[in-house]
């Protein structure tokens, strides 16, 4: 049984668009590269052919991976999100107790995580630690540098 993947609606659209691009655009590009490489003749010393075949294998593997994800996807129903407790899909405002700084994150499934965009995985140290907590809770998180304490200031959809 494959692991269920939780996505936001936006994440699902991105994944479907990537799959469409891989199947249409990328497959055609690779077929063309292979055709050109074959026209160079001798395959035993044909690095263009080897490269194109490797790229083709990579793209086919990614297509299979995305298709498998889409079979096991659960799209978050934003109307079901609670503002009482932190869950996947929640937008949270945390106060870093040590530096007295506020940070905002959206908790997302691991395939959508993008820390630079404020989207952290429910499997990341901070994401895992704050799941299930409510506003006012102080949460301690073990990170590679040691322990960090956060106060949960806000939970939004």
């Amino acid at each position: 049984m494959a692991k269920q993947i939780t996505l936001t609606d936006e994440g699902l659209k991105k994944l479907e668009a990537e799959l469409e691009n891989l199947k249409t655009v990328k497959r055609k590009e690779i077929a063309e590269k292979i055709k050109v490489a074959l026209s160079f003749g001798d395959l035993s010393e044909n690095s263009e052919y080897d490269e194109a075949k490797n790229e083709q294998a990579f793209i086919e593997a990614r297509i299979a991976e995305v298709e498998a994800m889409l079979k096991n996807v659960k799209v978050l129903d934003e109307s079901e999100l609670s503002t009482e407790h932190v869950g996947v899909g929640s937008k949270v405002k945390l106060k870093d107790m040590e530096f007295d700084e506020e940070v905002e994150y959206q908790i997302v499934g691991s395939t959508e995580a993008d820390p630079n965009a404020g989207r952290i995985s429910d499997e990341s140290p901070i994401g895992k630690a704050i799941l299930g907590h409510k506003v006012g809770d102080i949460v301690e998180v073990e990170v590679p540098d040691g322990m960090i304490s956060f106060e949960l200031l806000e939970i939004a959809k």
Side-chain angles (χ1 to χ4, degrees), residues 134-154:
K134 55 189 188 310
V135 172
D137 285 358
I138 305 284
V139 182
E140 293 209 326
V141 183
E142 191 171 339
V143 293
D145 293 348
M147 292 298 274
I148 307 177
S149 294
F150 290 105
E151 179 181 357
L152 192 50
L153 302 176
E154 200 177 289

Side-chain angles (χ1 to χ4, degrees), residues 45-112:
E45 295 177 15
N46 191 330
S47 63
E48 288 87 355
Y49 179 75
D50 291 341
E51 206 174 288
K53 290 302 277 183
N54 285 341
E55 200 175 334
Q56 182 182 42
F58 175 79
I59 285 173
E60 292 305 323
R62 181 62 184 158
I63 288 171
E65 185 182 357
V66 173
E67 284 177 337
M69 281 188 218
L70 290 172
K71 279 190 185 107
N72 296 300
V73 82
K74 175 184 183 282
V75 179
L76 285 172
D77 181 349
E78 305 229 347
S79 69
E80 290 177 11
L81 288 178
S82 163
T83 53
E84 292 289 308
H85 295 91
V86 177
V88 176
S90 296
K91 291 180 176 145
V92 296
K93 188 183 285 182
L94 304 170
K95 180 177 170 190
D96 183 321
M97 305 297 278
E98 184 183 348
F99 296 105
D100 196 30
E101 289 177 349
E102 288 185 9
V103 289
E104 291 187 35
Y105 296 117
Q106 180 177 18
I107 310 302
V108 295
S110 58
T111 54
E112 279 187 87

